[in-house]
Amino acid sequence: MLTLCLVDSIDKRIMGKFQKEDYIAQLSIDCVIFGYKNKELKVLISKLSYGDNLWSLPGGYILQTESIDDAASRILRERTGLDNIYLEQFKAFGGPDRIIGSEFRDLVRSGLREFDPERFDEEAINWVTSRFVCIGYYALVDLNKVDPKIGEFEEFLKWVSIEELPKMTHDHNAIVTSAHKALRQNLDEKLIWFNLLPDEFTMREVKELYEAVYDKEFPMNNFQKKILGLQVLERLGKKFTGAQNRAPYVYRFKK
Amino acid sequence: MLTLCLVDSIDKRIMGKFQKEDYIAQLSIDCVIFGYKNKELKVLISKLSYGDNLWSLPGGYILQTESIDDAASRILRERTGLDNIYLEQFKAFGGPDRIIGSEFRDLVRSGLREFDPERFDEEAINWVTSRFVCIGYYALVDLNKVDPKIGEFEEFLKWVSIEELPKMTHDHNAIVTSAHKALRQNLDEKLIWFNLLPDEFTMREVKELYEAVYDKEFPMNNFQKKILGLQVLERLGKKFTGAQNRAPYVYRFKK
DNA sequence: TCAAAAGTGTTGCTAGTACACCCATGT
DNA sequence: ACATGGGTGTACTAGCAACACTTTTGA
């Protein structure tokens, strides 16, 4: 985890030094933010503003005054603008070499120095580039409702198919793999909490989402029975697309 | 988590100050060490050497040079003398009030001062009694092979039935509940890694272990079929107990 | 021969899968 | 009418639970 302060700490960012005392040292939260579009499961990742081609998961630090769950919610809110999102802690990562990109460490340090010498003195740079343990959370969001906001040292954020992720800093690729595995477990039970789909959707869309998550085909008829059996959907009207076939029903999650 | 240094750091303990620089601050590992005896699932907990009736989970801190998994293994080894034990990280806990026993904080601080003023100066006391995030691991051990070793500030360690745990410091009771829940998930798949049973055992003993873990009865016939279906046991001879009934088979885990 | 408990066999239920079929829609 | 895909019904299978039964052991 690299990026430091975010939207709600912009005042501090503008006003002065990075207040490392506000945060727990050597402990970060990394978020695997899942979205879904074009039949693909996507992850929101950030391109760092220095280095040739450095990518990373969005993350942040934990304030002394907040719980780790609150920190994860805050970080997610700061990046996506979204609140009340399904968020699950799935694992902590703590190899002794979890230092900002081992091979990139010097690059990062010089990048930080150039970024804002006023704000990042040597002490702060040491803080940021020390060995970190991170707690991984994953979130499920409606990609269309997200207006990604960059953090410090980030050039831009991007939705990338989980199949086509670039090499990222730290062990972030392994973290995504681990999040993906956690997501696959008991998807049915979590379904109602998911925000991956728009408010109203067809059964085919649910099926395609499952296919993206599990990377395998589900026969429509049995899938329909299974999902309806969960008793979490309510059937609304029909959706007339203009296609020359029977109009599918539209569903939404029961409240 | 409170107890600090353990067996392999006895030299340091004797020689001088608690070297807080060696550890990650505000981050601890707590171990829920499960054992099994007399048809009861038990947890190893420690009675603290100050306070009227303070109990806690054994735990420790993470060296700057080791991974969190290694730290957990080390802590387990220091306390139980056991190596190569099934150990699973199940969750991180990080409420903002996870300060050594909120209500007991002053008690702990004065206890530390009296314990060894040379070793624990004010700075070290502040370090130990600051807000902590902890990563929970659970282990499964053969209770008979364990020779529990106390850590600092501990009066003794004790195996207590999971049903009869006393109120512990921090949120340690909630941590045990969470570990118990994690243990119940996919017990079958982990079975072969378990050290809860002696090297050789009968099917009845496996059944009683399951009953202790899940707190419900399993009919013997179906249970037998299920466990044998896992293909992880090999049948040895028979066990003649002298009871006036058919002698049960003895099993062990396949290697 | 009997009580106690180990071990096996048989039946029935349920959840999931595979297959077949009918229905609505726009050309 | 017909192609296209939506939706439903039926048969088959595997896994699990409930019940009944036989076998072994030592008194």
Side-chain angles (χ1 to χ4, degrees):
Chain A
M1 232 311 308
L2 182 73
T3 52
L4 296 178
C5 302
L6 305 158
V7 178
D8 76 348
S9 33
I10 271 183
D11 52 336
K12 277 188 190 158
R13 179 160 65 183
I14 293 167
M15 285 173 66
K17 274 183 66 174
F18 165 60
Q19 297 297 122
K20 65 182 168 50
E21 296 77 14
D22 293 347
Y23 299 95
I24 295 180
Q26 303 192 57
L27 186 59
S28 66
I29 284 177
D30 284 341
C31 291
V32 180
I33 304 172
F34 286 113
Y36 172 69
K37 198 172 189 177
N38 299 336
K39 305 183 187 177
E40 282 186 330
L41 189 64
K42 292 175 183 291
V43 178
L44 189 64
I45 62 173
S46 63
K47 166 79 176 60
L48 302 182
S49 49
Y50 48 77
D52 192 24
N53 198 20
L54 284 182
W55 295 86
S56 141
L57 286 174
Y61 303 126
I62 300 155
L63 286 168
Q64 293 290 356
T65 51
E66 71 188 349
S67 73
I68 55 176
D69 286 352
D70 287 346
S73 298
R74 173 177 57 77
I75 290 163
L76 182 66
R77 188 175 58 247
E78 289 167 351
R79 293 314 181 84
T80 63
L82 295 176
D83 231 320
N84 288 112
I85 291 295
Y86 184 91
L87 200 60
E88 187 167 304
Q89 183 202 308
F90 62 95
K91 197 175 178 192
F93 299 82
D97 54 349
R98 286 195 83 265
I99 296 166
I100 176 73
S102 303
E103 67 257 57
F104 312 122
R105 189 156 186 265
D106 292 336
L107 187 63
V108 171
R109 291 177 69 91
S110 60
L112 281 168
R113 277 194 203 92
E114 286 163 26
F115 181 81
D116 187 346
E118 285 293 307
R119 185 158 155 64
F120 286 92
D121 54 22
E122 280 302 305
E123 210 180 341
I125 291 173
N126 288 338
W127 195 94
V128 172
T129 59
S130 64
R131 178 256 176 117
F132 265 82
V133 171
C134 98
I135 302 174
Y137 280 79
Y138 72 85
L140 301 151
V141 306
D142 182 348
L143 208 132
N144 300 114
K145 290 184 182 161
V146 174
D147 176 26
K149 291 176 186 62
I150 59 167
E152 285 190 310
F153 322 119
E154 291 182 355
E155 202 173 316
F156 57 84
L157 287 156
K158 187 181 175 185
W159 288 103
V160 179
S161 161
I162 196 163
E163 309 282 355
E164 298 159 9
L165 288 173
K167 170 95 182 68
M168 293 184 279
T169 59
H170 283 118
D171 48 359
H172 285 185
N173 292 78
I175 292 176
V176 171
T177 303
S178 181
H180 191 189
K181 200 174 153 194
L183 173 62
R184 286 178 173 185
Q185 287 192 277
N186 305 108
L187 187 59
D188 299 348
E189 290 162 31
K190 304 169 198 164
L191 189 62
I192 195 166
W193 298 108
F194 280 22
N195 313 89
L196 290 170
L197 292 167
D199 295 337
E200 300 185 356
F201 45 83
T202 65
M203 189 58 72
R204 166 168 288 266
E205 289 175 298
V206 183
K207 181 174 94 81
E208 286 168 350
L209 167 61
Y210 267 68
E211 289 174 340
V213 171
Y214 289 100
D215 195 27
K216 71 167 188 176
E217 304 259 318
F218 292 90
M220 191 61 207
N221 51 355
N222 296 327
F223 184 82
Q224 170 124 309
K225 269 181 272 186
K226 171 184 157 168
I227 297 296
L228 291 180
L230 297 175
Q231 307 268 327
V232 296
L233 298 188
E234 60 182 325
R235 183 176 280 182
L236 305 173
K238 292 189 169 190
K239 184 181 175 184
F240 294 87
T241 58
Q244 52 183 311
N245 56 37
R246 189 172 178 169
Y249 288 110
V250 175
Y251 297 89
R252 71 173 171 211
F253 290 112
K254 285 183 190 167
K255 274 198 295 292
Chain B
M1 233 313 307
L2 180 74
T3 52
L4 295 179
C5 300
L6 305 155
V7 177
D8 75 348
S9 34
I10 270 183
D11 51 335
K12 275 188 191 158
R13 179 160 65 181
I14 293 166
M15 286 173 65
K17 274 184 65 173
F18 165 61
Q19 297 295 123
K20 63 182 170 53
E21 295 76 15
D22 293 346
Y23 300 95
I24 294 180
Q26 303 193 59
L27 186 59
S28 65
I29 284 176
D30 283 342
C31 291
V32 180
I33 304 172
F34 287 112
Y36 172 68
K37 198 172 191 178
N38 298 334
K39 304 184 188 175
E40 282 186 330
L41 190 64
K42 291 175 183 294
V43 178
L44 189 64
I45 62 172
S46 62
K47 167 80 178 59
L48 302 182
S49 49
Y50 49 78
D52 191 25
N53 197 22
L54 284 181
W55 295 86
S56 143
L57 287 174
Y61 304 126
I62 301 155
L63 287 168
Q64 292 291 355
T65 52
E66 72 188 347
S67 73
I68 55 176
D69 286 353
D70 288 345
S73 298
R74 174 178 56 78
I75 290 163
L76 182 67
R77 187 175 60 245
E78 288 166 352
R79 293 310 183 85
T80 64
L82 296 176
D83 231 322
N84 288 110
I85 291 295
Y86 184 91
L87 199 60
E88 187 168 302
Q89 183 202 307
F90 62 95
K91 197 176 177 191
F93 299 82
D97 54 349
R98 286 196 84 266
I99 296 165
I100 175 75
S102 306
E103 67 258 58
F104 312 121
R105 188 155 187 266
D106 291 338
L107 186 64
V108 170
R109 292 177 67 92
S110 60
L112 281 167
R113 277 193 203 94
E114 286 162 26
F115 183 82
D116 188 345
E118 285 292 306
R119 184 160 155 66
F120 287 91
D121 55 20
E122 280 301 306
E123 210 181 341
I125 292 174
N126 288 336
W127 194 94
V128 173
T129 59
S130 63
R131 178 257 175 116
F132 264 82
V133 170
C134 99
I135 301 174
Y137 281 79
Y138 71 87
L140 301 151
V141 306
D142 183 347
L143 208 133
N144 300 113
K145 290 185 183 161
V146 175
D147 177 26
K149 291 176 186 62
I150 58 168
E152 283 189 311
F153 321 120
E154 292 182 355
E155 202 175 316
F156 56 85
L157 287 155
K158 188 181 176 186
W159 289 103
V160 179
S161 161
I162 196 164
E163 310 282 353
E164 297 158 11
L165 289 172
K167 169 95 183 67
M168 294 184 280
T169 60
H170 283 119
D171 48 358
H172 286 185
N173 293 79
I175 292 176
V176 171
T177 303
S178 180
H180 191 190
K181 200 174 152 192
L183 174 61
R184 287 177 170 184
Q185 286 192 279
N186 305 108
L187 188 59
D188 300 347
E189 291 162 30
K190 304 169 197 164
L191 189 61
I192 195 164
W193 299 109
F194 279 22
N195 312 92
L196 290 171
L197 292 168
D199 295 338
E200 299 186 356
F201 46 84
T202 65
M203 190 56 73
R204 168 168 287 266
E205 289 175 298
V206 184
K207 180 175 95 80
E208 286 168 349
L209 168 60
Y210 266 68
E211 289 174 339
V213 171
Y214 289 101
D215 194 27
K216 69 167 189 179
E217 305 259 317
F218 292 90
M220 192 61 209
N221 51 356
N222 297 328
F223 185 83
Q224 169 124 307
K225 269 179 272 186
K226 173 185 155 167
I227 298 295
L228 291 180
L230 296 176
Q231 307 268 326
V232 296
L233 297 189
E234 59 181 326
R235 184 176 280 184
L236 306 173
K238 290 190 172 191
K239 184 181 175 184
F240 295 87
T241 58
Q244 52 183 310
N245 56 38
R246 186 171 178 171
Y249 288 110
V250 176
Y251 297 90
R252 71 172 170 211
F253 290 112
K254 284 182 191 167
K255 273 198 298 291

